[in-house]
Amino acid sequence: NLMSQLRKVLGPGAIETQSSGYVLRAGPDAVDVRCFDRLLQEGRQHAASGRWRAAAIALSAASELWRGPPLPELGDWPPARAEAARLQEVHRCLLEELAEAELACQRHHETVALLETMVDAEPLRERRWALLMLALHRCGRQAEALRAFQRARSALAELGLEPGQELQSLERDVSLQLDRLATRRSGERTDAGVDRPGNLPRPATDLVGRINELQERIAELALRRSMTLTGTGGVGKTRLAIEIAWSLVEDFSGGAWMVELAPVSGDSGVVAAVASTLSVQPKSGLTMQQSIVEWLRGRQLLLLLDNCEHVLGPVARLVEAVVANCPTVTVLITSREPLDVAGEWLHVVNSLDPSTEGFELFCDRAVAVDEAFTPSDDDRVAITSICRHVDGLPLAIELAAARVRSSTPADLLCRLDDRFRLLRRSGRGSPPRHQTLRATVDWSYQLLGEEERTLFDRISVLAGGFDLAAAENVCADGLEQGDVACMLDSLVAKSMVTAQRGALGVRYGLLETLRQYGEERLHERGETRALRDRHLSHYIDVATRARNSWASIRQRDADRIFDREWDNLRAAHSWSIATADSDGADAIVAATAPHAWCRLNHEHGAWASQALTLDTVDRPISPATYGWAGYWRFIAHDADRAISLAHQGIDAASSPEHPDVSWCWAVLAWGQLAAGRPGEAARPARQAQRTAAADDQLAQAWAHCALVEAGLATERPAVGGQVARYVEWADRIGSPSIRSDAAFYKGQLYMAAEPSRPADALASYLRGLDLARGAGDIHEEGKNLVGVVFASNHLRTAEALEIGHEALLRLYDNRHWSLMWIAVETVAAGLFLTETNTELAVVIYGHIDAHQPVWGSERSPRGRAMALRFLRKQPHADQLLAKGAAMTGDEVIALLVDQLAIKRTQDVQQVTT
């Protein structure tokens, strides 16, 4: 009877009769718990994509389904108790996520009441207190936010707990801003200002990001009479100004008035536009500007003057008059250039952070044009890259997001090289200068003087930033060199060039969007080749000077120059390849080599290989370039190719004694060692030392290194004297990298002694490690790390396991394959060969024996042979050796790293026990 009645309510198909009872057939949306879970997941997906409004709607709908304790009819039935507990915890989290979404939608006032209820219900959940403090802070109620922190502290103190890091950080931030924000009643736009007079437009979309910036500008403008927001076109000055004005509108009985000046020109145009907006009539005997000032006198009013960069003079005169004569009027200005008037408070509006604010803005605007848009993990990566490529400019991000109707983020990213064609608005309603990215830049460019345009176009060849010397040497042709600094200052003021002060002086730069625009203009001028030639010449000179001071006590200064100028050096090298300038390519490779060597910058190897393609009979490539190309193949664990390139460089030399050929001899010596032929390494090592230029300290260091390596590999008695001479010479030179290298070989000598001296070796390796890390030398750090592992294994120190793990990860991250396999064999031999996990050692040696060269095994082929003889006697050795031989190098390293991590954990647990 009960089932029959239920069918009448739910329909005949809802209840199904089976042999063991009845089954309720209900769709997912017919069960409120399932609806709750679905809406919660939707809300979380929207929040993860930055679609806060959609997240708030979904989470609110889920919350409305909650009508009391879950599943009360099922009593203490254990499955019901477990599900009820899950649902209650999920509901707690949902309320917090809903509050967070509402705050992101700027509904701070409305959310305070909800959060007060939530903290009263569960005062031990710190996240709720943090959200309440944030909401109160954003409402301008800083004192109450601090009281909320004290209430949270009291609640936690009952259990003997202190507030967590998030609450403490919030309390500190609110305290720091209390003094300057206390004068503000609210930091957000409210509906109370609707009744105020004025003409502020209502933005059609939410402000994304800039919440802190908005709060700070509100606080500053409350204390000042005049503020100018400056910044590059499309950075969001107008939008920020409108939000500030709406936030302050309650404070002005005369309202907030916005005057759009983009369409006007000249003194009369500015005054007429302001008079028209304010409905000011001219007074007898007064000019129109004087009439405006007289009308404003005594009124409590906010005047927003938007887009003033092309009418700076008349705007400056008007603002000066208003500020001087109307103490109750506040003026807010947006301009790509400051007014430079007395009392002006200047704020530069910067681009959005690509990975946070930029990403959130893209997703918000993308959903507006395609409500089904939900970014995948790949989309998130592409969107962040898009935001970074367009310099975090909100206008460019919004234009790109509007394209998701017909393109994926990955497609958009691929097409950004032609950003001025791609980023254009198809809709109507926005100002013409914001219809396309090009129009926005055109607007700024047309405001420049002719010489400023010339300089702007020319500095587009300077990649990744530049100093004044570069601008003068590369771009001053036909301009007065002394005027370049003044014109750069003007371009900075007009938001066309950025300037950043650092330890090495002022560094200028261009946003990538502006650089591409200038590049197009330079091409139209027909000056591209001449400017790029001068750019190449200048940066060869910069890099050569830095190289000459690198192998000395001034190495860190030289490395800083290389770090700072690497983008320009890359551009210079690319130009040398594009124009088949073999001399230029040689010069760039040679000059940048020391820095690339110590930083393990594999890009340098590509530069050397590209330079080799320019080798002709008429314009041969330098043997040094062959040597460097071979060196990078050696690093990549390709000894045969390294040897081949070294031979080609030696054959290409104009003379066997030419200094440039010393690089090839050194690489040839290392290649023979890596290929397991130590007897053939001594001669090229001696040749390297004999041919190295006396004034080329790095070439001398390479020669010392090759001689010592060959001596250690063949156990020559003279190696002790060679190491001593290397150490003495390195200390005299003063270069941290060369001293680190010498310390490493001193450690090697201690380990090769009879009997070995691992404690002394460890001290030497550690000294070399400190020198390398102090210099940022990744190559020498790797060598000395391997030495530390080697010595620690012999000493059986407690740190051996941790050091071995660190060394492998560091070398693998930097793809230093030649050292990597020495480290792998050292770790395997020292930590697993004589431990309980000999099976792992067998697998690793199976791979090493099948695929890796003889060089390794503590630099002794005899050591590897002994290890293999021992391992072949272990159970199942043949199968384990075959397993290792079948594995790739990456698989072997991953296996070893994982096992080291497991062993470290086990050792910690044993110590704890």
Side-chain angles (χ1 to χ4, degrees):
N1 289 336
L2 289 171
M3 289 300 109
S4 176
Q5 294 173 29
L6 194 57
R7 284 192 177 98
K8 292 178 181 178
V9 176
L10 300 179
I15 305 295
E16 180 181 310
T17 304
Q18 296 184 350
S19 59
S20 57
Y22 301 95
V23 175
L24 174 66
R25 296 297 183 189
D29 288 339
V31 183
D32 55 2
V33 169
R34 291 181 179 175
C35 290
F36 177 82
D37 285 335
R38 176 179 58 78
L39 289 167
L40 175 62
Q41 293 308 315
E42 285 182 10
R44 286 174 172 172
Q45 289 173 2
H46 287 311
S49 303
R51 302 195 299 271
W52 292 108
R53 183 177 295 171
I57 292 170
L59 294 172
S60 179
S63 178
E64 290 172 2
L65 292 173
W66 195 268
R67 292 187 290 275
L71 311 179
E73 301 87 353
L74 299 182
D76 290 334
W77 186 41
R81 283 205 311 272
E83 177 64 3
R86 181 191 75 84
L87 287 169
Q88 286 173 328
E89 178 57 29
V90 168
H91 182 243
R92 294 187 186 101
C93 295
L94 175 140
L95 291 175
E96 293 161 4
E97 291 172 43
L98 174 58
E100 186 175 10
E102 294 285 8
L103 289 177
C105 293
Q106 302 182 37
R107 294 173 54 84
H108 308 136
H109 297 275
E110 299 88 339
T111 310
V112 168
L114 169 65
L115 287 165
E116 288 283 10
T117 303
M118 289 166 56
V119 297
D120 287 343
E122 296 191 76
L124 298 181
R125 291 180 75 91
E126 291 193 42
R127 186 184 183 191
R128 299 185 174 190
W129 288 108
L131 290 168
L132 176 59
M133 288 179 65
L134 189 60
L136 290 168
H137 171 61
R138 290 182 177 176
C139 290
R141 297 158 63 179
Q142 275 66 42
E144 293 177 63
L146 292 176
R147 279 197 293 272
F149 176 79
Q150 294 303 328
R151 288 161 56 199
R153 169 172 278 174
S154 298
L156 293 167
E158 294 180 7
L159 297 179
L161 301 174
E162 279 291 315
Q165 185 62 44
E166 182 181 10
L167 278 178
Q168 292 185 34
S169 297
L170 268 174
E171 189 266 346
R172 183 169 56 253
D173 291 344
V174 172
S175 297
L176 288 173
Q177 296 187 48
L178 180 58
D179 290 340
R180 58 177 173 156
L181 294 179
T183 58
R184 294 293 323 126
R185 293 193 305 275
S186 169
E188 304 301 331
R189 184 173 73 237
T190 67
D191 293 334
V194 171
D195 296 331
R196 300 291 193 194
N199 68 339
L200 285 180
R202 283 283 186 181
T205 56
D206 292 335
L207 178 69
V208 176
R210 301 204 189 282
I211 298 302
N212 290 335
E213 187 175 16
L214 174 63
Q215 291 279 352
E216 291 171 0
R217 301 295 80 74
I218 292 166
E220 289 169 355
L221 196 56
L223 303 174
R224 290 175 172 83
R225 301 281 315 290
S226 170
M227 176 185 289
T228 302
L229 304 180
T230 68
T232 303
V235 81
K237 301 182 293 296
T238 298
R239 181 56 192 279
L240 180 59
I242 291 172
E243 294 288 343
I244 293 171
W246 270 114
S247 299
L248 290 165
V249 71
E250 293 178 64
D251 291 351
F252 295 96
S253 58
W257 298 84
M258 178 174 176
V259 184
E260 172 55 67
L261 295 176
V264 309
S265 60
D267 290 36
S268 60
V270 170
V271 172
V274 175
S276 175
T277 300
L278 299 176
S279 299
V280 176
Q281 299 298 320
K283 284 194 172 185
S284 177
L286 299 180
T287 65
M288 181 54 79
Q289 178 170 302
Q290 291 170 336
S291 299
I292 292 171
V293 173
E294 189 63 28
W295 186 89
L296 288 170
R297 198 190 311 271
R299 297 178 188 268
Q300 194 174 23
L301 178 145
L302 173 65
L303 182 61
L304 169 54
L305 303 176
D306 191 36
N307 293 296
C308 304
E309 52 273 349
H310 62 302
V311 284
L312 287 174
V315 170
R317 287 189 287 273
L318 176 63
V319 170
E320 281 185 311
V322 170
V323 171
N325 296 283
C326 307
T328 58
V329 174
T330 297
V331 186
L332 180 59
I333 302 113
T334 73
S335 173
R336 302 184 191 186
E337 184 176 358
L339 299 184
D340 285 333
V341 297
E344 178 184 30
W345 183 260
L346 192 64
H347 171 68
V348 178
V349 181
N350 292 313
S351 301
L352 300 177
D353 182 281
S355 60
T356 55
E357 299 170 328
F359 175 84
E360 185 179 344
L361 177 63
F362 185 101
C363 292
D364 185 83
R365 302 309 190 247
V367 170
V369 299
D370 181 2
E371 62 180 9
F373 177 73
T374 302
S376 64
D377 289 342
D378 290 341
D379 288 339
R380 296 174 72 88
V381 174
I383 290 168
T384 301
S385 295
I386 289 170
C387 296
R388 186 174 295 112
H389 276 72
V390 298
D391 309 301
L393 290 175
L395 173 63
I397 293 171
E398 291 184 349
L399 292 172
R403 294 288 178 179
V404 299
R405 284 176 295 200
S406 56
S407 300
T408 66
D411 292 337
L412 289 170
L413 180 61
C414 293
R415 296 165 60 197
L416 276 181
D417 286 342
D418 192 12
R419 66 186 62 192
F420 293 114
R421 183 187 300 273
L422 174 68
L423 301 182
R424 55 179 66 238
R425 199 185 301 272
S426 58
R428 292 169 292 278
S430 56
R433 67 184 184 283
H434 285 173
Q435 289 288 340
T436 70
L437 188 60
R438 182 184 296 281
T440 300
V441 182
D442 279 338
W443 174 265
S444 296
Y445 187 79
Q446 296 304 322
L447 298 176
L448 304 179
E450 184 54 42
E451 286 195 335
E452 287 176 332
R453 293 183 196 178
T454 299
L455 181 61
F456 174 79
D457 296 345
R458 290 177 176 179
I459 61 178
S460 67
V461 303
L462 297 164
F466 57 94
D467 55 20
L468 178 59
E472 290 178 335
N473 292 337
V474 177
C475 307
D477 186 43
L479 302 172
E480 289 293 333
Q481 192 169 46
D483 291 342
V484 170
C486 294
M487 284 189 282
L488 275 177
D489 184 64
S490 177
L491 290 171
V492 171
K494 294 175 179 177
S495 304
M496 296 294 283
V497 173
T498 62
Q500 186 173 5
R501 188 176 302 278
L504 298 178
V506 176
R507 187 82 174 163
Y508 301 97
L510 288 175
L511 297 181
E512 179 60 20
T513 297
L514 296 178
R515 194 195 66 77
Q516 287 191 20
Y517 183 91
E519 215 171 32
E520 290 183 8
R521 295 290 187 177
L522 188 67
H523 180 71
E524 292 171 6
R525 289 177 182 272
E527 293 185 353
T528 299
R529 186 178 187 96
L531 264 293
R532 291 206 172 277
D533 284 344
R534 288 204 294 272
H535 178 273
L536 173 61
S537 176
H538 174 75
Y539 281 101
I540 287 175
D541 184 55
V542 168
T544 301
R545 290 199 307 271
R547 185 197 191 283
N548 291 339
S549 63
W550 186 90
S552 72
I553 200 170
R554 300 190 302 277
Q555 178 188 333
R556 291 183 181 86
D557 292 335
D559 279 328
R560 278 193 285 269
I561 292 172
F562 282 119
D563 284 335
R564 187 180 62 174
E565 300 295 358
W566 197 260
D567 287 337
N568 277 303
L569 293 168
R570 179 188 295 116
H573 175 267
S574 295
W575 181 248
S576 71
I577 299 299
T579 56
D581 182 351
S582 57
D583 292 339
D586 268 339
I588 288 288
V589 169
T592 55
H595 179 74
W597 169 65
C598 77
R599 296 294 171 85
L600 267 183
N601 189 335
H602 296 267
E603 183 180 17
H604 185 265
W607 291 4
S609 297
Q610 290 166 5
L612 295 184
T613 64
L614 306 181
D615 197 4
T616 64
V617 175
D618 296 333
R619 302 187 68 179
I621 287 293
S622 165
T625 301
Y626 276 98
W628 281 107
Y631 169 77
W632 290 107
R633 295 316 307 161
F634 167 76
I635 288 292
H637 209 48
D638 186 355
D640 291 340
R641 180 59 178 157
I643 291 171
S644 173
L645 287 166
H647 278 303
Q648 290 179 57
I650 293 168
D651 294 340
S654 57
S655 161
E657 303 299 320
H658 195 285
D660 281 351
V661 84
S662 67
W663 305 97
C664 296
W665 287 119
V667 170
L668 182 57
W670 294 335
Q672 297 291 8
L673 289 168
R677 298 186 287 268
E680 298 180 33
R683 177 178 168 274
R686 290 192 298 271
Q687 287 287 98
Q689 188 169 57
R690 193 175 77 248
T691 55
D695 60 347
D696 191 336
Q697 310 295 359
L698 183 59
Q700 291 285 337
W702 272 36
H704 277 295
C705 176
L707 273 173
V708 172
E709 290 278 12
L712 288 169
T714 54
E715 302 178 357
R716 289 168 50 206
V719 73
Q722 291 167 349
V723 170
R725 287 191 292 275
Y726 188 20
V727 171
E728 187 275 330
W729 177 81
D731 288 340
R732 189 171 68 251
I733 293 301
S735 162
S737 287
I738 294 176
R739 291 172 64 204
S740 173
D741 196 55
F744 169 76
Y745 286 112
K746 189 174 181 180
Q748 293 291 86
L749 187 63
Y750 283 132
M751 292 303 301
E754 290 292 345
S756 64
R757 297 162 58 184
D760 292 331
L762 180 60
S764 191
Y765 292 139
L766 289 172
R767 179 170 177 269
L769 188 61
D770 287 342
L771 286 165
R773 286 177 170 169
D777 189 327
I778 298 171
H779 173 81
E780 292 301 333
E781 179 189 12
K783 289 176 73 169
N784 282 283
L785 268 175
V786 173
V788 171
V789 174
F790 186 20
S792 298
N793 287 344
H794 277 263
L795 293 169
R796 314 301 294 170
T797 65
E799 297 81 14
L801 192 64
E802 183 175 352
I803 293 168
H805 192 255
E806 177 190 2
L808 287 174
L809 288 175
R810 185 71 166 152
L811 292 167
Y812 186 67
D813 284 344
N814 292 293
R815 299 300 187 265
H816 198 322
W817 289 105
S818 58
L819 279 178
M820 169 60 69
W821 289 110
I822 298 174
V824 167
E825 191 165 354
T826 302
V827 170
L831 296 177
F832 293 105
L833 195 61
T834 58
E835 297 281 347
T836 55
N837 196 351
T838 52
E839 288 187 0
L840 177 63
V842 179
V843 170
I844 292 171
Y845 268 93
H847 177 84
I848 291 172
D849 188 47
H851 300 287
Q852 307 307 329
V854 176
W855 190 33
S857 186
E858 305 167 11
R859 305 299 173 96
S860 169
R862 186 173 62 249
R864 177 179 293 180
M866 292 172 60
L868 284 168
R869 281 198 299 273
F870 170 76
L871 291 171
R872 288 192 174 105
K873 297 176 183 178
Q874 303 306 309
H876 313 295
D878 290 342
Q879 296 94 315
L880 293 172
L881 288 168
K883 177 182 176 181
M887 295 173 72
T888 67
D890 290 296
E891 290 171 340
V892 169
I893 292 165
L895 174 65
L896 182 54
V897 167
D898 287 345
Q899 290 301 314
L900 282 170
I902 292 170
K903 185 169 172 54
R904 287 176 67 187
T905 302
Q906 292 171 345
D907 287 356
V908 169
Q909 290 172 344
Q910 289 176 1
V911 170
T912 303
T913 303

